[in-house]
Amino acid sequence: MNNIVFLGLPGAGKGTQAKKLATQKNYIHISTGDIFRAELKNNTPLGQKAKEYMDKGQLVPDELVVDMVLKKITELKDAPGCILDGFPRNLSQAKAMEGKIPVEACIYFDLAKEEVIKRLSSRRTCRECGFMTPDATVCEKCNGEMYQREDDKQEVIAKRLDVYDSETSPLIDYYNNQGLLKKLDGSVGMENVYKDLLNALGIE
Ligand code: AMP
């Protein structure tokens, strides 16, 4: 399996690019954030538990994330590859994958914090299909209601950025040291980022 890890600040474009790449190139998109939001929508115990952390901008504890994701990917072993969007989120999650889930590349979407804050605070998410776009009230994909995620509110954004600095950013060196890191400029517009992404992965 050719698995790709997507890394970058929240709002840097990982989800948007992952959805496009998955649709066009047959990858399976695994977003741990989407999984937790779906669990919450279905009111499961996992969703309820995850919400306690997500609403505060904290990471959901590893014991609720790692086994679930490893199981999911292992079950997909016949798929051409997965895009891991939002996982691993810290070194211990990355180490838990070692020897179990091969990683072909880590794409790092580089974007300034000021831009990320602007994007996240205007971002609205569809309650039905999860589509995200700035400032809309009705979803352009499915007509669902667009809402502001609790963790896209100003106070929580600051916390998420702190958590990224302390817990997630060490993964940049972790993957760079393994020769797997490919850094993309996340500020050049969705279509250009996508072209750069295909180039970085060496696919047409
Ligand atoms: P995201 O949609 O990727 O921005 O994730 C939203 C929230 O879900 C994060 O702020 C965390 O609370 C939680 N989350 C998503 N992925 C993980 C993960 N791999 N480990 C821990 N928490 C996660």
Side-chain angles (χ1 to χ4, degrees):
M1 266 176 106
N2 297 324
N3 300 306
I4 307 167
V5 169
F6 275 14
L7 199 59
L9 282 163
K14 302 185 296 295
T16 305
Q17 296 294 333
K19 286 191 183 89
K20 198 168 161 77
L21 185 65
T23 316
Q24 298 199 349
K25 304 291 172 191
N26 252 344
Y27 282 91
I28 310 263
H29 177 199
I30 298 184
S31 156
T32 36
D34 284 352
I35 293 172
F36 289 135
R37 283 182 288 277
E39 293 280 334
L40 181 61
K41 194 163 171 239
N42 293 326
N43 226 347
T44 67
L46 175 61
Q48 292 293 344
K49 192 80 201 142
K51 179 179 161 58
E52 290 172 27
Y53 299 91
M54 293 168 82
D55 284 357
K56 291 187 215 143
Q58 297 166 351
L59 292 187
V60 175
D62 286 349
E63 50 283 18
L64 296 181
V65 187
V66 173
D67 289 348
M68 173 188 76
V69 177
L70 295 193
K71 184 164 172 274
K72 227 180 203 356
I73 303 173
T74 312
E75 284 168 0
L76 292 168
K77 62 180 183 314
D78 295 332
C82 296
I83 303 166
L84 303 181
D85 163 16
F87 182 91
R89 204 71 159 226
N90 58 27
L91 279 173
S92 81
Q93 293 181 4
K95 289 187 175 145
M97 287 169 67
E98 283 177 4
K100 296 187 182 126
I101 311 289
V103 174
E104 177 198 28
C106 172
I107 304 288
Y108 168 46
F109 295 88
D110 186 27
L111 195 63
K113 274 196 181 151
E114 301 72 53
E115 179 58 25
V116 157
I117 293 169
K118 243 194 272 167
R119 285 190 189 179
L120 290 178
S121 46
S122 66
R123 185 163 81 172
R124 298 295 180 269
T125 301
C126 177
R127 275 196 203 283
E128 303 308 320
C129 72
F131 178 70
M132 297 180 193
T133 194
D135 297 321
T137 52
V138 178
C139 176
E140 66 189 70
K141 303 276 179 207
C142 77
N143 273 335
E145 181 202 355
M146 303 293 283
Y147 76 108
Q148 183 173 39
R149 273 166 50 175
E150 205 51 46
D151 59 347
D152 282 345
K153 295 187 175 159
Q154 205 95 42
E155 324 73 76
V156 189
I157 291 173
K159 175 68 187 170
R160 287 166 77 196
L161 299 187
D162 285 350
V163 167
Y164 176 87
D165 280 342
S166 58
E167 305 213 31
T168 309
S169 69
L171 292 173
I172 298 172
D173 278 349
Y174 172 84
Y175 285 113
N176 197 25
N177 290 339
Q178 298 176 42
L180 296 175
L181 196 82
K182 295 176 196 299
K183 180 171 163 177
L184 302 187
D185 180 351
S187 73
V188 295
M190 191 178 120
E191 290 304 330
N192 289 324
V193 175
Y194 188 66
K195 275 190 209 139
D196 294 343
L197 171 62
L198 294 182
N199 264 335
L201 293 172
I203 45 185
E204 292 291 308

